[in-house]
Amino acid sequence: MSLYRLIAEPPLRSPVMVAAFDGWVDAGAAATAAAGRLTEDSELLATFEASLLFDYRARRPTLEILDGTPAQLTWPELTVRWRRIGGRDVLVLSGGEPDFRWPELCADAVDLAARLGVTEWISLGAIPAAIPHTRAVPVMGTTSEPGRLRGGVEPGPPGSLRVPAAAISVLDMAVAAAGIPAVGYFAQVPHYVTGPYPAAAVELLATLGRHLDVDLSAGPLAEAARQLRTQLDAAASADDGTRAYIERLEGMVDESRLPSGDDLISDIERFLRERGGGERGSGRERG
């Protein structure tokens, strides 16, 4: 049985598929915030069978209670939506990162992409890193073939890494193996920031816009980023230790010192501990 149900098949011209899942590889909710902006005024094309993909004890539906009466349940979902932006047909696969059936999800995603004529797969994500909020948000890239990354984004970090895989990366590899070029853009989020980090979502939208050669407005995300910057600046000014730490990070960035693989692994493991994930087995390949 297919995991997806196709609701509409509009005439599409060389569509691209943009994918973003919440949870793992979505530090600061940056990728899903960018995807949410992309899907404004969009049309629903396909839904995936949530009951087969999600563990409702780990990802519980949200219950709205009005005046003591249970009124509405909002269930986790995984959908594909369509929007034409600047003459480009953009499909967005977004929702919660599935708990189950990743291999079947990959097979069905490849089938759906072929059915819709997808010409390129673009994953969005965000990872914690030792960077300051006072500098531009760095973006690292992944690519299934050389030369596909745009906007000055470089693949990285150099060398070989071993980290817990995200479903979005598994999908990347599946579609690439099926002959659909795949790239990924991953914003770096200051690891001392808790909660949403809209500045990274804004940068992901800008990076995606450069890749697609279209103008993607950040809308209210830009103002949210400015407000958070003000709050973080005030917090840093109020504490000497925090201010000194941020100045040290600024020095590293200004010296163009890119994070090493070991640094990224440490930041990712810290992120997992704080989220209560407890994944193990990450490490840098040596030799």
Side-chain angles (χ1 to χ4, degrees):
M1 184 181 75
S2 175
L3 291 175
Y4 74 84
R5 180 170 65 93
L6 193 59
I7 295 172
E9 287 190 81
L12 301 173
R13 299 190 300 270
S14 302
V16 298
M17 181 77 81
V18 177
F21 296 156
D22 72 9
W24 181 220
V25 195
D26 189 27
T32 46
R37 177 67 181 165
L38 284 175
T39 55
E40 292 180 7
D41 301 320
S42 61
E43 179 181 337
L44 181 64
L45 291 193
T47 61
F48 284 79
E49 184 54 62
S51 294
L52 299 178
L53 293 174
F54 296 121
D55 178 356
Y56 291 137
R57 293 172 300 175
R59 187 183 294 277
R60 296 178 183 273
T62 301
L63 173 63
E64 183 178 354
I65 302 174
L66 296 177
D67 299 325
T69 301
Q72 181 176 337
L73 280 171
T74 301
W75 295 85
E77 61 180 9
L78 187 62
T79 63
V80 175
R81 305 189 71 91
W82 163 58
R83 181 181 170 196
R84 185 162 288 157
I85 306 174
R88 297 296 304 266
D89 283 319
V90 179
L91 311 178
V92 182
L93 170 64
S94 63
E97 182 183 51
D99 299 297
F100 306 121
R101 302 198 178 197
W102 285 14
E104 295 170 61
L105 174 64
C106 288
D108 281 355
V110 168
D111 179 75
L112 180 59
R115 188 169 175 178
L116 296 174
V118 170
T119 58
E120 187 175 37
W121 185 282
I122 305 172
S123 294
L124 301 181
I127 58 175
I131 60 167
H133 72 276
T134 53
R135 297 294 186 265
V137 175
V139 176
M140 295 191 305
T142 60
T143 179
S144 62
E145 54 189 49
R148 297 207 69 92
L149 294 171
R150 300 184 62 187
V153 175
E154 298 291 336
S160 178
L161 299 178
R162 179 178 294 166
V163 297
I168 201 164
S169 299
V170 179
L171 282 167
D172 270 359
M173 297 186 70
V175 297
I180 301 173
V183 300
Y185 291 110
F186 296 88
Q188 297 181 50
V189 173
H191 60 195
Y192 55 83
V193 173
T194 59
Y197 192 64
V202 171
E203 186 58 36
L204 284 175
L205 286 170
T207 300
L208 180 61
R210 290 190 290 269
H211 184 97
L212 299 176
D213 197 23
V214 298
D215 181 25
L216 296 178
S217 170
L221 289 172
E223 178 58 28
R226 285 191 288 269
Q227 292 180 6
L228 181 59
R229 168 65 188 268
T230 299
Q231 294 170 8
L232 291 172
D233 286 346
S237 298
D239 182 79
D240 290 341
T242 301
R243 183 170 60 252
Y245 178 68
I246 291 175
E247 288 174 352
R248 183 164 66 87
L249 293 178
E250 289 173 336
M252 294 174 61
V253 170
D254 294 344
E255 293 170 9
S256 298
R257 287 177 54 190
L258 297 176
S260 68
D262 290 330
D263 290 337
L264 286 173
I265 288 169
S266 296
D267 292 331
I268 289 170
E269 288 178 337
R270 182 186 300 110
F271 181 60
L272 285 172
R273 287 196 300 270
E274 291 172 353
R275 292 182 60 89
E279 282 91 338
R280 300 180 62 85
S282 62
R284 188 173 181 86
E285 292 291 283
R286 305 183 185 276

mmCIF file of all heavy atoms in Angstrom, residues 14-19 48 79-81 89-94 109 112-113 116 118-123 175 180-181 183 208 212:
data_model
loop_
_atom_site.group_PDB
_atom_site.id
_atom_site.type_symbol
_atom_site.label_atom_id
_atom_site.label_comp_id
_atom_site.label_asym_id
_atom_site.label_seq_id
_atom_site.Cartn_x
_atom_site.Cartn_y
_atom_site.Cartn_z
ATOM 1 N N SER A 14 8.771 21.618 -14.943
ATOM 2 C CA SER A 14 10.072 21.366 -14.308
ATOM 3 C C SER A 14 10.077 21.735 -12.831
ATOM 4 O O SER A 14 10.893 22.552 -12.376
ATOM 5 C CB SER A 14 11.185 22.134 -15.031
ATOM 6 O OG SER A 14 11.239 21.774 -16.388
ATOM 7 N N PRO A 15 9.190 21.157 -12.048
ATOM 8 C CA PRO A 15 9.102 21.558 -10.636
ATOM 9 C C PRO A 15 10.315 21.092 -9.835
ATOM 10 O O PRO A 15 10.961 20.092 -10.173
ATOM 11 C CB PRO A 15 7.836 20.841 -10.157
ATOM 12 C CG PRO A 15 7.745 19.624 -11.030
ATOM 13 C CD PRO A 15 8.239 20.079 -12.382
ATOM 14 N N VAL A 16 10.614 21.836 -8.778
ATOM 15 C CA VAL A 16 11.613 21.419 -7.806
ATOM 16 C C VAL A 16 10.878 21.029 -6.535
ATOM 17 O O VAL A 16 9.808 21.561 -6.237
ATOM 18 C CB VAL A 16 12.640 22.527 -7.516
ATOM 19 C CG1 VAL A 16 13.407 22.896 -8.772
ATOM 20 C CG2 VAL A 16 11.973 23.754 -6.915
ATOM 21 N N MET A 17 11.442 20.089 -5.802
ATOM 22 C CA MET A 17 10.875 19.677 -4.516
ATOM 23 C C MET A 17 11.774 20.186 -3.398
ATOM 24 O O MET A 17 12.970 19.883 -3.355
ATOM 25 C CB MET A 17 10.765 18.160 -4.425
ATOM 26 C CG MET A 17 10.161 17.651 -3.121
ATOM 27 S SD MET A 17 8.364 17.832 -3.054
ATOM 28 C CE MET A 17 7.874 16.379 -4.014
ATOM 29 N N VAL A 18 11.196 20.980 -2.503
ATOM 30 C CA VAL A 18 11.904 21.462 -1.320
ATOM 31 C C VAL A 18 11.387 20.669 -0.126
ATOM 32 O O VAL A 18 10.173 20.557 0.072
ATOM 33 C CB VAL A 18 11.662 22.964 -1.108
ATOM 34 C CG1 VAL A 18 12.355 23.444 0.164
ATOM 35 C CG2 VAL A 18 12.147 23.761 -2.317
ATOM 36 N N ALA A 19 12.288 20.103 0.660
ATOM 37 C CA ALA A 19 11.898 19.252 1.780
ATOM 38 C C ALA A 19 12.446 19.804 3.086
ATOM 39 O O ALA A 19 13.605 20.239 3.156
ATOM 40 C CB ALA A 19 12.391 17.824 1.567
ATOM 41 N N PHE A 48 0.591 12.198 3.201
ATOM 42 C CA PHE A 48 1.155 10.897 3.555
ATOM 43 C C PHE A 48 0.376 10.321 4.738
ATOM 44 O O PHE A 48 -0.182 11.063 5.546
ATOM 45 C CB PHE A 48 2.640 11.025 3.894
ATOM 46 C CG PHE A 48 3.519 11.188 2.679
ATOM 47 C CD1 PHE A 48 3.637 12.419 2.054
ATOM 48 C CD2 PHE A 48 4.207 10.106 2.155
ATOM 49 C CE1 PHE A 48 4.430 12.573 0.934
ATOM 50 C CE2 PHE A 48 5.002 10.248 1.038
ATOM 51 C CZ PHE A 48 5.117 11.495 0.419
ATOM 52 N N THR A 79 2.955 16.505 4.308
ATOM 53 C CA THR A 79 2.221 16.871 3.098
ATOM 54 C C THR A 79 3.165 17.391 2.022
ATOM 55 O O THR A 79 4.311 17.782 2.294
ATOM 56 C CB THR A 79 1.177 17.964 3.387
ATOM 57 O OG1 THR A 79 1.856 19.152 3.817
ATOM 58 C CG2 THR A 79 0.196 17.528 4.463
ATOM 59 N N VAL A 80 2.660 17.406 0.801
ATOM 60 C CA VAL A 80 3.317 18.091 -0.310
ATOM 61 C C VAL A 80 2.369 19.179 -0.789
ATOM 62 O O VAL A 80 1.201 18.913 -1.096
ATOM 63 C CB VAL A 80 3.639 17.135 -1.474
ATOM 64 C CG1 VAL A 80 4.208 17.923 -2.668
ATOM 65 C CG2 VAL A 80 4.625 16.065 -1.040
ATOM 66 N N ARG A 81 2.868 20.413 -0.838
ATOM 67 C CA ARG A 81 2.081 21.543 -1.297
ATOM 68 C C ARG A 81 2.777 22.190 -2.486
ATOM 69 O O ARG A 81 3.995 22.067 -2.650
ATOM 70 C CB ARG A 81 1.860 22.555 -0.167
ATOM 71 C CG ARG A 81 1.233 21.954 1.086
ATOM 72 C CD ARG A 81 0.820 23.013 2.086
ATOM 73 N NE ARG A 81 -0.327 23.766 1.607
ATOM 74 C CZ ARG A 81 -1.587 23.442 1.853
ATOM 75 N NH1 ARG A 81 -1.876 22.385 2.588
ATOM 76 N NH2 ARG A 81 -2.577 24.179 1.385
ATOM 77 N N ASP A 89 7.715 26.438 -10.517
ATOM 78 C CA ASP A 89 6.823 25.555 -9.775
ATOM 79 C C ASP A 89 7.616 24.940 -8.624
ATOM 80 O O ASP A 89 8.574 24.184 -8.845
ATOM 81 C CB ASP A 89 6.269 24.456 -10.685
ATOM 82 C CG ASP A 89 5.156 24.976 -11.590
ATOM 83 O OD1 ASP A 89 4.325 25.756 -11.105
ATOM 84 O OD2 ASP A 89 5.130 24.600 -12.770
ATOM 85 N N VAL A 90 7.223 25.298 -7.417
ATOM 86 C CA VAL A 90 7.924 24.840 -6.214
ATOM 87 C C VAL A 90 6.988 23.942 -5.413
ATOM 88 O O VAL A 90 5.888 24.355 -5.024
ATOM 89 C CB VAL A 90 8.385 26.034 -5.357
ATOM 90 C CG1 VAL A 90 9.091 25.546 -4.096
ATOM 91 C CG2 VAL A 90 9.301 26.955 -6.162
ATOM 92 N N LEU A 91 7.422 22.711 -5.188
ATOM 93 C CA LEU A 91 6.704 21.772 -4.342
ATOM 94 C C LEU A 91 7.409 21.720 -2.999
ATOM 95 O O LEU A 91 8.638 21.740 -2.932
ATOM 96 C CB LEU A 91 6.676 20.383 -4.978
ATOM 97 C CG LEU A 91 6.258 20.313 -6.448
ATOM 98 C CD1 LEU A 91 6.332 18.867 -6.943
ATOM 99 C CD2 LEU A 91 4.868 20.879 -6.646
ATOM 100 N N VAL A 92 6.640 21.633 -1.924
ATOM 101 C CA VAL A 92 7.235 21.627 -0.583
ATOM 102 C C VAL A 92 6.734 20.403 0.176
ATOM 103 O O VAL A 92 5.531 20.278 0.449
ATOM 104 C CB VAL A 92 6.887 22.914 0.193
ATOM 105 C CG1 VAL A 92 7.558 22.886 1.571
ATOM 106 C CG2 VAL A 92 7.326 24.148 -0.583
ATOM 107 N N LEU A 93 7.661 19.515 0.502
ATOM 108 C CA LEU A 93 7.382 18.360 1.357
ATOM 109 C C LEU A 93 7.785 18.750 2.774
ATOM 110 O O LEU A 93 8.967 18.990 3.039
ATOM 111 C CB LEU A 93 8.176 17.142 0.886
ATOM 112 C CG LEU A 93 8.179 15.923 1.816
ATOM 113 C CD1 LEU A 93 6.787 15.331 1.965
ATOM 114 C CD2 LEU A 93 9.168 14.870 1.315
ATOM 115 N N SER A 94 6.817 18.824 3.682
ATOM 116 C CA SER A 94 7.141 19.292 5.029
ATOM 117 C C SER A 94 6.225 18.662 6.055
ATOM 118 O O SER A 94 5.155 18.142 5.740
ATOM 119 C CB SER A 94 7.045 20.826 5.104
ATOM 120 O OG SER A 94 5.723 21.258 4.843
ATOM 121 N N ALA A 109 8.391 8.477 -1.945
ATOM 122 C CA ALA A 109 8.788 9.841 -2.291
ATOM 123 C C ALA A 109 9.424 9.872 -3.683
ATOM 124 O O ALA A 109 9.175 10.800 -4.468
ATOM 125 C CB ALA A 109 9.757 10.400 -1.251
ATOM 126 N N LEU A 112 6.560 9.469 -6.138
ATOM 127 C CA LEU A 112 5.791 10.709 -6.250
ATOM 128 C C LEU A 112 6.567 11.759 -7.031
ATOM 129 O O LEU A 112 5.994 12.461 -7.881
ATOM 130 C CB LEU A 112 5.443 11.232 -4.858
ATOM 131 C CG LEU A 112 4.642 12.538 -4.804
ATOM 132 C CD1 LEU A 112 3.316 12.404 -5.530
ATOM 133 C CD2 LEU A 112 4.425 12.962 -3.349
ATOM 134 N N ALA A 113 7.871 11.886 -6.758
ATOM 135 C CA ALA A 113 8.690 12.863 -7.463
ATOM 136 C C ALA A 113 8.711 12.574 -8.960
ATOM 137 O O ALA A 113 8.610 13.496 -9.787
ATOM 138 C CB ALA A 113 10.104 12.871 -6.898
ATOM 139 N N LEU A 116 5.340 13.498 -10.543
ATOM 140 C CA LEU A 116 5.130 14.936 -10.685
ATOM 141 C C LEU A 116 6.171 15.601 -11.579
ATOM 142 O O LEU A 116 6.098 16.805 -11.824
ATOM 143 C CB LEU A 116 5.134 15.607 -9.304
ATOM 144 C CG LEU A 116 4.005 15.185 -8.354
ATOM 145 C CD1 LEU A 116 4.218 15.807 -6.979
ATOM 146 C CD2 LEU A 116 2.640 15.581 -8.913
ATOM 147 N N VAL A 118 9.513 15.950 -10.989
ATOM 148 C CA VAL A 118 10.483 16.749 -10.237
ATOM 149 C C VAL A 118 11.860 16.674 -10.892
ATOM 150 O O VAL A 118 12.347 15.585 -11.210
ATOM 151 C CB VAL A 118 10.552 16.268 -8.774
ATOM 152 C CG1 VAL A 118 11.711 16.917 -8.036
ATOM 153 C CG2 VAL A 118 9.235 16.566 -8.060
ATOM 154 N N THR A 119 12.467 17.840 -11.098
ATOM 155 C CA THR A 119 13.771 17.904 -11.758
ATOM 156 C C THR A 119 14.928 18.093 -10.785
ATOM 157 O O THR A 119 16.083 17.879 -11.155
ATOM 158 C CB THR A 119 13.794 19.060 -12.767
ATOM 159 O OG1 THR A 119 13.506 20.293 -12.090
ATOM 160 C CG2 THR A 119 12.752 18.828 -13.860
ATOM 161 N N GLU A 120 14.622 18.496 -9.556
ATOM 162 C CA GLU A 120 15.683 18.691 -8.558
ATOM 163 C C GLU A 120 15.068 18.616 -7.171
ATOM 164 O O GLU A 120 13.938 19.064 -6.949
ATOM 165 C CB GLU A 120 16.375 20.039 -8.758
ATOM 166 C CG GLU A 120 17.588 20.248 -7.864
ATOM 167 C CD GLU A 120 18.324 21.538 -8.159
ATOM 168 O OE1 GLU A 120 17.642 22.549 -8.466
ATOM 169 O OE2 GLU A 120 19.567 21.559 -8.083
ATOM 170 N N TRP A 121 15.816 18.041 -6.246
ATOM 171 C CA TRP A 121 15.394 17.896 -4.852
ATOM 172 C C TRP A 121 16.274 18.794 -4.001
ATOM 173 O O TRP A 121 17.498 18.732 -4.065
ATOM 174 C CB TRP A 121 15.542 16.440 -4.426
ATOM 175 C CG TRP A 121 15.038 16.124 -3.049
ATOM 176 C CD1 TRP A 121 15.655 16.386 -1.864
ATOM 177 C CD2 TRP A 121 13.810 15.468 -2.727
ATOM 178 N NE1 TRP A 121 14.904 15.929 -0.816
ATOM 179 C CE2 TRP A 121 13.757 15.369 -1.317
ATOM 180 C CE3 TRP A 121 12.760 14.950 -3.479
ATOM 181 C CZ2 TRP A 121 12.686 14.759 -0.652
ATOM 182 C CZ3 TRP A 121 11.698 14.357 -2.820
ATOM 183 C CH2 TRP A 121 11.664 14.262 -1.420
ATOM 184 N N ILE A 122 15.660 19.640 -3.181
ATOM 185 C CA ILE A 122 16.407 20.576 -2.341
ATOM 186 C C ILE A 122 15.978 20.394 -0.889
ATOM 187 O O ILE A 122 14.815 20.649 -0.546
ATOM 188 C CB ILE A 122 16.170 22.031 -2.771
ATOM 189 C CG1 ILE A 122 16.497 22.222 -4.251
ATOM 190 C CG2 ILE A 122 17.011 22.981 -1.913
ATOM 191 C CD1 ILE A 122 16.095 23.583 -4.788
ATOM 192 N N SER A 123 16.884 19.959 -0.050
ATOM 193 C CA SER A 123 16.598 19.793 1.370
ATOM 194 C C SER A 123 17.043 21.024 2.142
ATOM 195 O O SER A 123 18.094 21.614 1.845
ATOM 196 C CB SER A 123 17.314 18.559 1.931
ATOM 197 O OG SER A 123 16.797 17.384 1.367
ATOM 198 N N VAL A 175 16.542 9.771 -3.607
ATOM 199 C CA VAL A 175 16.172 10.431 -4.854
ATOM 200 C C VAL A 175 17.384 10.578 -5.768
ATOM 201 O O VAL A 175 17.266 10.461 -7.003
ATOM 202 C CB VAL A 175 15.497 11.798 -4.606
ATOM 203 C CG1 VAL A 175 14.196 11.627 -3.856
ATOM 204 C CG2 VAL A 175 16.416 12.757 -3.864
ATOM 205 N N ILE A 180 17.515 11.749 -9.644
ATOM 206 C CA ILE A 180 17.074 13.128 -9.453
ATOM 207 C C ILE A 180 18.179 13.873 -8.699
ATOM 208 O O ILE A 180 18.511 13.495 -7.576
ATOM 209 C CB ILE A 180 15.757 13.191 -8.662
ATOM 210 C CG1 ILE A 180 14.654 12.428 -9.392
ATOM 211 C CG2 ILE A 180 15.336 14.642 -8.429
ATOM 212 C CD1 ILE A 180 13.356 12.301 -8.599
ATOM 213 N N PRO A 181 18.759 14.915 -9.276
ATOM 214 C CA PRO A 181 19.819 15.643 -8.562
ATOM 215 C C PRO A 181 19.309 16.178 -7.230
ATOM 216 O O PRO A 181 18.168 16.653 -7.128
ATOM 217 C CB PRO A 181 20.165 16.787 -9.530
ATOM 218 C CG PRO A 181 19.697 16.321 -10.864
ATOM 219 C CD PRO A 181 18.483 15.474 -10.604
ATOM 220 N N VAL A 183 20.358 18.492 -3.631
ATOM 221 C CA VAL A 183 21.248 19.353 -2.867
ATOM 222 C C VAL A 183 20.614 19.611 -1.509
ATOM 223 O O VAL A 183 19.406 19.425 -1.329
ATOM 224 C CB VAL A 183 21.523 20.701 -3.579
ATOM 225 C CG1 VAL A 183 22.162 20.489 -4.934
ATOM 226 C CG2 VAL A 183 20.242 21.513 -3.711
ATOM 227 N N LEU A 208 17.886 29.744 -0.774
ATOM 228 C CA LEU A 208 17.021 29.041 -1.717
ATOM 229 C C LEU A 208 16.636 29.953 -2.879
ATOM 230 O O LEU A 208 16.586 29.512 -4.041
ATOM 231 C CB LEU A 208 15.773 28.540 -0.999
ATOM 232 C CG LEU A 208 14.755 27.774 -1.841
ATOM 233 C CD1 LEU A 208 15.370 26.510 -2.426
ATOM 234 C CD2 LEU A 208 13.518 27.437 -1.014
ATOM 235 N N LEU A 212 17.262 29.164 -6.841
ATOM 236 C CA LEU A 212 16.185 29.085 -7.823
ATOM 237 C C LEU A 212 16.120 30.310 -8.724
ATOM 238 O O LEU A 212 15.336 30.326 -9.684
ATOM 239 C CB LEU A 212 14.840 28.909 -7.108
ATOM 240 C CG LEU A 212 14.673 27.658 -6.254
ATOM 241 C CD1 LEU A 212 13.318 27.683 -5.549
ATOM 242 C CD2 LEU A 212 14.804 26.395 -7.105
#
